[in-house]
Amino acid sequence: MKIVFLLSHVPDPRMNKRISVAKRVGTVSVIYVNRTSQDIFELEHGDIEYSKIDLDFPPSDQIIKRLLMSQKYKRIALKILFQYNPDIIYTEGLDSLDIAVVYKRRFDCQIFYEVADLRECYIEQPKSLFKKIAAYLIKYKDKKLFKYVTHLVITSEKFYDVYYFNLIEKDKTIFMPNTPDFSVFKNYKKKSEGEFTVGFIGGIRYLKQMKMLVDAAKLVKCRVLFAGAGGTFKDFDEISEYCKVNSHVLFTGKYNYSRDIASLYGAVDCVYAVYDADNANVRIALPNKLYESIYCGLPIIVSKGTYLSQLVTDWGVGLSVSHNDVEELAETLKRLMSDSSLRTSISKNCKKALQYISSEPYNKSLERIFLKYS
């Protein structure tokens, strides 16, 4: 069985985990766009074939430029797909799904479509006329394309409840939480000394909340570790410039997930995952940091009013703050720094929550579904 991953970006840690599962059941190849404005992730798998497409996707609000670049992506990707002749195309993003459907209409194959973030227009009605028209066109395209989707893969069950229940049957939907591959944490050693350090580990975005962390940490005199590149070079340059006079902030830059993730988590005392909760997707998405922090026994700080906050509270594995209140974040950091019994309690709750975050049952389920099409 031949499985091709069709991605409009360099494979990230989440997609690399899917690739690992696919390798168990067939021959895997990856077609990916190397976005020239980004440099976040490195290729992880040395035993599969990659086909790189060098393009720079403009933001989605630059509609004409985006359409032109999408058409170029489609032409190049289809030529490569014809060469690979896959049994399964595993993809994410409407640009890539459109390409997969064009291929499927000519050749018999199965399409697995993964969603890790939901567009705001899927959740809330846009206010401006232009955005309403754009939302209508996107949803119309969704309905056309989803007729050809074999399975929908989601990282938060809320995605199906909020939007996809109208597009695909529940029994064709696969829940794959963005849980860690525990093997990459085998050398993890919990930090036990040195200055209290708050870590943001991953692609840097939501710059307002990143700056809020820098400001709050300065107030309470703790350190900040930013591990990862920016969503774009511009993002990274902006946060770097903001922190230029702050000696309490350290940047590691881009890292190799499998090689470096254990040591990065071993360098922090708590994990920062406060995003812009005014964003509808943020309110229902579940980031990998939730599962990684639990596995490492570290408290996680998240935004109030989110599904993530609900789980963190239910499991007792962290604390929630307003996404735009520096003072509240500073008080929360101060509390974590001074209250060792709170940190111990959270660590114990993390051990209890391990039952919810094992990736292997989900990987086995995906593997069995892949095998149905062999």
Side-chain angles (χ1 to χ4, degrees), residues 165-182:
F165 69 94
N166 275 322
L167 297 178
I168 193 167
E169 296 90 340
K170 183 76 170 182
D171 62 2
K172 293 182 178 178
T173 302
I174 307 166
F175 175 47
M176 292 288 293
N178 198 6
T179 54
D181 174 1
F182 293 158

Side-chain angles (χ1 to χ4, degrees), residues 39 43 49 103 113 126 128 130 140 147 151 156 167 191 204 237 240 246 266 271 304 310 313 318 334 338 347 351:
D39 186 20
L43 299 179
E49 185 174 355
Y103 181 88
Y113 183 63
S128 73
F130 176 77
Y140 177 74
K147 295 175 184 177
H151 289 286
S156 171
L167 297 178
K191 182 173 178 285
I204 299 171
D237 289 344
S240 299
N246 293 293
V271 176
K304 287 180 176 177
Q310 179 184 324
T313 301
K334 187 185 296 183
S338 61
S347 181
K351 289 181 180 178

Side-chain angles (χ1 to χ4, degrees), residues 38 79 287:
Q38 295 180 343
K79 288 181 181 178

Side-chain angles (χ1 to χ4, degrees), residues 85-98:
N85 189 26
D87 301 296
I88 292 174
I89 299 175
Y90 197 109
T91 192
E92 63 179 350
L94 275 183
D95 294 320
S96 299
L97 179 59
D98 184 34

